[in-house]
Each structure stands twice: as C-alpha cells, then as structure tokens.
Amino acid sequence: EVQLVESGGGLVKPGGSLRLSCAASGFTFSSYSMNWVRQAPGKGLEWVSSISSSSSYIYYADSVKGRFTISRDNAKNSLYLQMNSLRAEDTAVYYCARGYCSGGSCPPGGNWFDPWGQGTLVTVSS
Amino acid sequence: QSALTQPASVSGSPGQSITISCTGTSSDVGSYNLVSWYQQHPGKAPKLMIYEVSKRPSGVSNRFSGSKSGNTASLTISGLQAEDEADYYCCSYAGSRGVYVFGTGTKVTVL
C-alpha cells in the first residue's frame, strides 16, 4: 500500500524554526517527485514547494521562498521541509504529496498529486 | 500567482447533477491540460478525483467527470449522493517557475 506519513509539526514561536518529515512506503520513492502543500485553519489548499526525483529541480511558492528549504533522502525514503523565520501566517496543516507523471515531459512536481499524507499541524504563536 | 476562482458553495438533491467551475487565466488553466480535482472531507487529507482535466483514477466513481474550455475547468458530479458532501479543490500547473495554483475551494452540500 502506498503511504505517506508526515511528522515534526508542533507549536513554535514567531521567528523560530521547525523541520517536517514525510516517510514514504509502498512505492519506489526515488522515481517520483514530491511536494508540500499546506492548509491554514478553515482555509483552502496552498502549494508550498516541489522537488524532482533526483533533487535536480526545486521550486517554492513566493510566500515561503528564502525561508523554507525542501530536501529529500532517497536512501531513507524521506522528504523534508526545513522552515525558518516562521510567521503567524505559516500556521497550517502541512501535507506531503507524491507527484505523478504520466510520461513524457512533466512539471517538476508532477502532473498531479496522489496520494497525500494525513498532514501535520504547525502552529506559529507566541 | 492568484488562486483559481471557484464558487464558494454548490448544493443539490440526491440523484441530481451539479457542476463546479474553476476559472483561471491563460497562464495556468488555459495553457496546460494539467488540471486536477481533489475531494476533501472534514479533517481528512485531500483525495484525487480527476487528473489531466478529464481522466479518472481507478477506484473513483464514474459519476465524477471533468472538462475544460478556455481558461475554465469544470467538475461534474452526477447522481449526487450523501457521501459526495465535501470540499472540492481544483489545481493547475502554472508553468515558468514550477508553480502550481489551487482553486479557492467549493463546499458541496447534499440537500
């Protein structure tokens, strides 16, 4: 069974840092791009970052560029999101999602996102 | 990059059909056949319902269908059922800087 499990969320003060992890199982992790998507409480989904299968291509939303760093360890089947200089507006549930490419030329994060993990809550508050 | 525009809510009676629109621009929806749709029940993770505008993953009911015309994509749910009550989000690749943009979300209510 394909599974993604996020961890590392919690309460952090403004200006602080947090590192999220996403453990993948049930598929060949090194063959797929991966993504982080977040959802603020009561709000919609927001794409955060994408990383290609070999980490050659990395992209960020403008709202997190310069503060967040996406990375992966294919040997450990794991995806990470290092979040620095956190702000109140970064409060959200953070989901990792596999990017699926149907073949040919695909965007760095895949043509669509499937599956998604259950999410981990990050709360930025003093 | 601005969010794609969806109606805040759509409702229908059991057995009816409803359509959710997703309006973007020529830089996202209009430029790529990479629109996907996600269903999200309260407290749950999003679930893929439609990919590449109109393709349905295995396991998703054929009551769900997608289409696109110009800068607007649409999700149609036919034979509405109580279990379809959820939030629905569209998503499109927006090119250039590897950006993806989600829709504002639509709450579907089964009357």
Side-chain angles (χ1 to χ4, degrees), chain A residues 35 37 39 43-47 50 59-62 65 95 101-102 107-119, chain B residues 1 34-36 38 40 43-48 50-52 55 57 87 89 91 93 96-104:
Chain A
N35 304 271
V37 177
Q39 186 171 35
K43 303 297 184 181
L45 300 171
E46 179 190 14
W47 170 79
S50 297
Y59 295 92
Y60 300 97
D62 287 344
K65 198 173 297 182
Y95 296 100
C101 179
S102 56
N111 287 0
W112 64 88
F113 306 142
D114 180 60
W116 298 54
Q118 86 290 347
Chain B
Q1 194 73 35
L34 296 179
V35 176
S36 50
Y38 303 88
Q40 186 180 36
K44 300 296 186 181
K47 174 189 174 184
L48 177 70
I50 294 288
Y51 65 97
E52 293 179 340
K55 298 176 183 178
D87 293 326
Y89 295 91
C91 179
Y93 179 60
S96 60
R97 295 169 296 128
V99 170
Y100 296 82
V101 59
F102 281 91
T104 50

Side-chain angles (χ1 to χ4, degrees), chain B residues 50-64:
Chain B
I50 294 288
Y51 65 97
E52 293 179 340
V53 176
S54 60
K55 298 176 183 178
R56 199 171 47 249
S58 61
V60 172
S61 170
N62 58 8
R63 298 184 297 104
F64 291 85

